[in-house]
Amino acid sequence: MMAAASPVLAGGHGGETPMTYGQRPFYLIDQMRDGPLKDTLMACRDQTPARSDFSIAHRGAPLLFPEHTAEGYVAGARMGAGIVECDVTFTADKELVCRHAQNDLHTTTDILATDLAGACTAPFTPAEGDTPAAAECRTSDLSLSQFESLTPKMDAADATATTVEGYMNATAPWRTDLYAAAGASLVTHAQSIALLKDLGVKFTPELKAPSVEMPFDGFTQEMYAQKMIDEYKAADVPPEDVWAQSFNLSDVLYWIENEPEFGAQAVYLDDRYEAEDDDEGLIDPMDPATFKPTMQELADMGVNYIAPPMWMLLTLDESGKMVASDYARAAQDAGIRIIAWSLERSGPLGSGGGWYFQSVSDAVTTDGDYFTILDALHKEAGVVGVFSDWPATTTYYANCMGI
């Protein structure tokens, strides 16, 4: 099986894994506007990289490496991330694997160019007229051995394509295929645990929402949530080294009740900015009066960590400075720790940063503003960790600020 044969998964990293910032943090500092923050960061140029739990590797290091691969995880650890994420889903034979979504194989692997394309839930259809190209390939369409036979690629698809080759060849120009060209390694959840233990980092697995109806062949949501925790227990991973995540509050509450040692650090991934309430219309996450359940109610349920997107945590004051949102202050008042996602996922920031920066877009003008928002998340919103697609930036900031 391809993943098992990977030289990266073969081990040998251990506590001697070298750490490096590389060039990117310095490139970003050079882009910053002159001011106290730039001066502080420049004064740290000669610091020695050190691992920090404030720096969380989002899917590995997908700015340049195919996401959820052994190579991406190693890259994140080498950039000083103290915690690395494996998004967890399952195969047809109910084995846990690392993928951002159960139904993303058509954009993150070469499945459409293999004999397994016929197993996909929806085969490739070319673009025609106003109808975009499409496909849907799920991990639950494949056995574990079939999944492991695939080759990962950068997550991308060209909706205008008329061929499989064109559909697959769509990497954003500010990313690269350089580190995918020689082949990368898909990873099972258990393999990710072994690799990250060897690298000396901690764990933040996310239980992904299934694309299939649950129960799946007798596999219930509760069994799914339990199986993920059981794989850490089987590997003798201390619960305090694991931050289990889910967008499904019921999963978080399941861990709190049934695995309290792991539940103490379970993370509720909040995306209720898109939720609708029959009585009050769109729920406004920036207004704790309309946010349900309230932060205090979450705390009373035993939820100790919450993780919304970055823009929910910040707003601009009258002077245009990034400050904590009411949402962030409500979490602080309830004693809930905050983790933010995801830095360096937007590409170049000259146009305001897009979705991740929407609440502060008027203050975003250069790539250097990755550090501006990072500083505001730390000092204003009080976050305890930040997911990043290129963890060196967050590590550099954490080391410089003594976090």
Side-chain angles (χ1 to χ4, degrees), residues 126-248:
E128 184 175 0
D130 294 333
T131 303
E136 185 182 1
C137 303
R138 302 174 177 175
T139 58
S140 54
D141 293 332
L142 308 178
S143 67
L144 177 60
S145 62
Q146 290 173 323
F147 168 82
E148 291 184 313
S149 74
L150 301 175
T151 298
K153 70 177 190 69
M154 296 299 283
D155 183 14
D158 182 356
T160 69
T162 58
T163 66
V164 165
E165 292 76 13
Y167 184 77
M168 294 172 57
N169 185 23
T171 302
W174 42 272
R175 290 196 167 105
T176 181
D177 290 318
L178 181 63
Y179 298 109
S185 313
L186 293 176
V187 181
T188 70
H189 181 233
Q191 286 170 337
S192 80
I193 295 173
L195 175 60
L196 298 180
K197 279 185 70 175
D198 189 49
L199 291 166
V201 299
K202 299 174 185 177
F203 314 81
T204 186
E206 179 188 338
L207 195 75
K208 302 303 296 189
S211 298
V212 294
E213 185 176 349
M214 299 292 278
F216 175 74
D217 190 26
F219 192 51
T220 66
Q221 184 70 25
E222 293 76 16
M223 293 167 67
Y224 178 31
Q226 186 64 51
K227 184 177 178 72
M228 188 181 85
I229 298 301
D230 285 346
E231 294 199 346
Y232 288 95
K233 295 167 72 173
D236 294 323
V237 174
E240 59 267 25
D241 287 351
V242 181
W243 285 261
Q245 314 169 68
S246 181
F247 281 103
N248 182 353

Side-chain angles (χ1 to χ4, degrees), residues 3 9 27 40 54 80 125 147 170 183 240 252 257 304 311 347 365 381 384:
L9 286 170
Y27 163 80
T40 297
F54 185 81
T125 55
F147 168 82
E240 59 267 25
V252 175
E257 180 177 355
N304 294 320
W311 67 266
T365 58
V384 298

Side-chain angles (χ1 to χ4, degrees), residues 9-25:
L9 286 170
H13 304 283
E16 299 302 317
T17 301
M19 280 177 273
T20 178
Y21 296 129
Q23 292 299 311
R24 183 163 175 80

